[in-house]
């Protein structure tokens, strides 16, 4: 009998965007992961940068913040804020879904089978709008008010 | 079971971060929108030395920084590990990857906690 060949079902990172006809929530998933990786990269550097104030005092802190307050770093600061807004609000949505809140009541499966995504979509749209509002406020604070 | 426990703490740390990181971002990046909440002198930037040391002038800040550091490191590094384990490289090197992430996490937690405690002690001396 011929040996059964095991198929590789691992889509890996390319599956974030190239897995098929993804819906809106799938792109939120991709965005969640990209922002998460961006935030953790920034955070590891942030620990090292903010520690300088404890070990070097004002003599190091003031010139460092002078450099980090320039245009290029302001754009980076905005990206971090936008990443936080998207990741944080979408994270709340994911927890609500995981806890079974905002998924709608369970119903008997009758043909044509409905999808629960329809019940979840309003929450996905709401958090996306809230994230957009927060990003606009952050942009105002970072680029205009300061 | 261990993976489920890890996921539980990942979600719990995420919830804690909504509050801790939300507070941090509001103070540091929405100060002009909120009228300077959390900053002693709203006319200055949140990163200006006067505001930074005023905020640090409390043992509660050390506790806040350490809780924030722990939650963010766990959530961030567990999430990174989850993503890396989905790659062929991660699947082949699962144990090594986990060990590296645990060592980096503990190392940064100890370093960051020491910095937070030193900073609060220094701020108390500066503000006094």
């Amino acid at each position: 009998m011929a040996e059964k060949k095991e198929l590789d079902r691992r889509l890996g990172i390319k599956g974030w965007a190239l897995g098929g006809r993804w819906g809106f929530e799938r792109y939120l998933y991709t965005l969640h992961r990209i922002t998460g990786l961006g935030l953790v990269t920034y955070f590891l550097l942030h620990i090292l940068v903010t520690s300088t104030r404890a070990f070097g005092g004002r003599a190091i802190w003031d010139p460092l913040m002078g450099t980090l307050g320039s245009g290029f770093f302001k754009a980076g600061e905005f990206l971090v804020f936008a990443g936080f807004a998207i990741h944080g609000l979408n994270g709340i949505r994911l927890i609500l879904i995981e806890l079974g809140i905002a998924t709608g009541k369970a119903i008997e499966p009758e043909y044509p089978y409905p999808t629960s995504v329809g019940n979840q979509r309003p929450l996905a749209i709401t958090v996306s709008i809230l994230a957009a509002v927060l990003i606009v406020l952050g942009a105002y604070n970072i680029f205009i008010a300061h | 079971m261990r993976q489920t426990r890890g996921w539980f703490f990942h979600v719990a740390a995420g919830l804690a971060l909504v509050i801790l990181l939300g507070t941090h971002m509001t103070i540091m990046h929405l100060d002009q929108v909120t009228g300077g909440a959390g900053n002693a002198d709203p006319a200055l930037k949140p990163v200006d030395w006067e505001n930074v040391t005023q905020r640090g002038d409390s043992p509660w800040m050390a506790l806040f920084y350490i809780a924030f550091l722990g939650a963010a490191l766990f959530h961030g590094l567990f999430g990174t590990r989850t993503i890396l384990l989905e790659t062929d490289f991660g699947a082949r090197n699962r144990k090594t990857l986990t060990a590296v992430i645990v060592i980096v996490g503990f190392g940064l937690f100890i370093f960051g906690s020491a910095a937070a405690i030193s900073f609060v002690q220094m701020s108390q001396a500066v503000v006094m």
Side-chain angles (χ1 to χ4, degrees):
Chain A
M1 201 170 129
E3 200 174 315
K4 210 173 179 180
K5 195 182 174 191
E6 188 69 29
L7 291 172
D8 182 15
R9 296 180 179 82
R10 187 190 296 276
L11 282 173
I13 288 172
K14 62 178 182 288
W16 292 6
L18 305 172
R21 295 193 307 142
W22 297 139
F24 181 57
E25 284 78 5
R26 183 67 186 199
Y27 290 102
L28 285 181
Y29 159 92
T30 303
L31 209 52
H32 196 75
R33 292 198 150 198
I34 292 169
T35 53
L37 285 174
L39 287 170
V40 78
T41 306
Y42 171 79
F43 181 62
L44 298 181
L45 294 171
H46 193 56
I47 293 171
L48 301 177
V49 169
T50 52
S51 297
T52 59
R53 65 189 179 189
F55 303 122
R58 186 170 197 166
I60 284 185
W61 185 254
D62 282 350
L64 186 63
M65 286 304 112
T67 307
L68 297 180
S70 64
F72 173 75
F73 290 105
K74 267 194 168 188
E77 185 186 337
F78 171 70
L79 280 180
V80 169
F81 186 85
F84 151 73
I86 294 165
H87 196 86
L89 285 163
N90 191 53
I92 293 172
R93 178 183 76 87
L94 293 175
I95 290 171
L96 290 175
I97 298 290
E98 183 149 328
L99 294 175
I101 303 164
T103 51
K105 282 184 180 172
I107 54 169
E108 286 289 333
E110 281 179 27
Y111 190 82
Y113 305 119
T115 165
S116 72
V117 170
N119 295 326
Q120 300 175 23
R121 184 67 45 92
L123 182 63
I125 292 169
T126 305
V127 296
S128 302
I129 292 169
L130 287 176
V133 170
L134 206 52
I135 289 169
V136 169
L137 289 175
Y140 165 77
N141 200 95
I142 292 165
F143 294 118
I144 299 169
H146 269 301
Chain B
M1 186 63 192
R2 188 182 290 174
Q3 187 64 20
T4 309
R5 202 163 51 222
W7 180 250
F8 172 78
F9 284 119
H10 180 71
V11 173
L15 267 178
L17 282 174
V18 169
I19 298 164
L20 298 169
L21 184 57
T23 305
H24 178 70
M25 285 293 189
T26 305
I27 293 171
M28 301 306 293
H29 301 291
L30 291 174
D31 59 303
Q32 296 299 307
V33 177
T34 60
N39 290 292
D41 187 348
L44 296 173
K45 287 181 182 175
V47 293
D48 283 339
W49 187 252
E50 290 75 12
N51 276 333
V52 168
T53 46
Q54 283 285 347
R55 269 198 306 277
D57 179 31
S58 161
W60 290 107
M61 272 320 280
L63 202 65
F64 176 87
Y65 285 134
I66 291 169
F68 185 12
L69 181 70
L73 278 172
F74 186 86
H75 187 81
L77 292 176
F78 189 87
T80 305
R81 175 182 168 273
T82 303
I83 290 172
L84 289 174
L85 289 182
E86 288 176 10
T87 64
D88 290 337
F89 168 80
R92 277 198 306 270
N93 301 287
R94 189 185 178 94
K95 280 191 175 174
T96 312
L97 191 68
T98 304
V100 168
I101 279 178
V102 167
I103 290 166
V104 168
F106 271 108
L108 283 172
F109 182 71
I110 291 165
F111 173 75
S113 298
I117 292 166
S118 301
F119 172 66
V120 167
Q121 286 171 340
M122 190 188 70
S123 297
Q124 287 176 322
V126 168
V127 173
M128 257 167 58

